[in-house]
Amino acid sequence: MSPTFDSLETQPWSDITALHESLLQRQLDYVVDRSEFYQRRLGKQRSQITSLADLGALPFTTKEDLRESLIAHPPLGFHLAVDEAEVVQIQSSSGTTGMPTYVAASTEDLAVWNSMGARVFYANGFRPGDWVMHGYAMGKGFVGGLVNVQHLQHLGCCVIPLGAEAGTERLLRAIDHLKPVALCATPSMVAYLGAAAPDVLGKQASELSVRKISVGGEPGGGVPAIRESMESLWGADVRDMMGGADFGSTYWAECDEKDGMHLCSQGALHVELIDPDSLEPLPLEEGVTGELVYTALARRATPLVRYRMGDIVTVSGTGCACGRSAYKIKTHGRADDMLIVRGVNVFPAAVKDIVVHFTPDATGYLKIDVDFEGHSTSQPLKIRVEMASSSTRTADELAVAIERMLSDRLTVRSVVSIVPEGRIERPGAAKEKLLERTTNT
Ligand SMILES: [Zn+2]
């Protein structure tokens, strides 16, 4: 069987760049012609952009810009670039603050989304004919729901779209009955389902049929300790993927090497890396950390140019044994979620990674209590960690050990308080929220 879903994925990167050069020119003509939002923003500068290297001269587009556009010109904003009659699907982006953003797609857009999504699930190890239990939230227009179902069908899989809302018991009973070989869900859902299997079914998750798991929707799948705990729980291969609602669902994926996520958006999205503080471009070279900036190259309904989604990533490689030519990244999370503790940048997912190291004494569930305004504090970070009822350690021992590892690995000072098993709310159908704010910001 082919090593990739699409032959574009193994073409020399210079060919992909050349493709993107020509698509960019066509797309910029399109947005200036069809999108009132970009007519105003880029109309005067359009003629000066003759190559990808000139893109940096154009302004960024932000989530706030899109919200304002949606409010000023309902229902789909000034950035809509097709007639409303050509829109065939509207998804919702779950903004962490304020109103959700609505994202429109035409028939052509869905085809582009599906090509990216099928590459992603194929890289994650899914193959035509595989039966896949779909455990992402199906409701609220979340792209991990219906859009991932469409991707899996485009790849040729049989999808079982029970969704996270079905609940643990129903999902586990369906897996036991239908025996799907694959599962896709958030890492916290995968961990939760796996832990519940003995109670619900009287057997371990590793005794079930699932051997391939694709995780996304929240950071964690690419973190070694979190991956290993899911793999041993299920006796399955676990791979990470990532994307975002503004451009479909998913367009980064880990391959067999499981050492970072390949870009899977050839011909659809051009991606830049910038310094999130200076906003200057950064080279796409191994070891460089920055924020991703996306420009749609083949988008009809709601095209975006230089869009800042807020993902902070590190380039983890530019060549791969799998044959894919695209570079790979590891994600740290969204810039919005980052905390600054006494001047040190801390991503909640990195704290979770440390806590997961302490399983089975810890259950892996935690909350970071944010009792300060904004993102920055001069106090030690307050973290509640759940202790497993089967642990033989004392609460004090566990707290001190976690505080020490947070200090050693992340150079973060913390105060860990231990709570009994079951005290921290399980994410269920929702994304896991590691931060709990006790102030209004
Ligand atoms: Zn690879």
Side-chain angles (χ1 to χ4, degrees), residues 255-257 262 320-324 328:
C255 64
D256 299 6
E257 302 298 314
H262 284 285
C320 191
C322 75
R324 286 174 179 80
K328 296 186 279 193

Side-chain angles (χ1 to χ4, degrees), residues 346-367:
V346 187
F347 284 96
V351 175
K352 166 118 181 163
D353 179 28
I354 300 286
V355 171
V356 168
H357 270 280
F358 288 90
T359 53
D361 288 313
T363 61
Y365 291 102
L366 70 139
K367 288 281 182 194

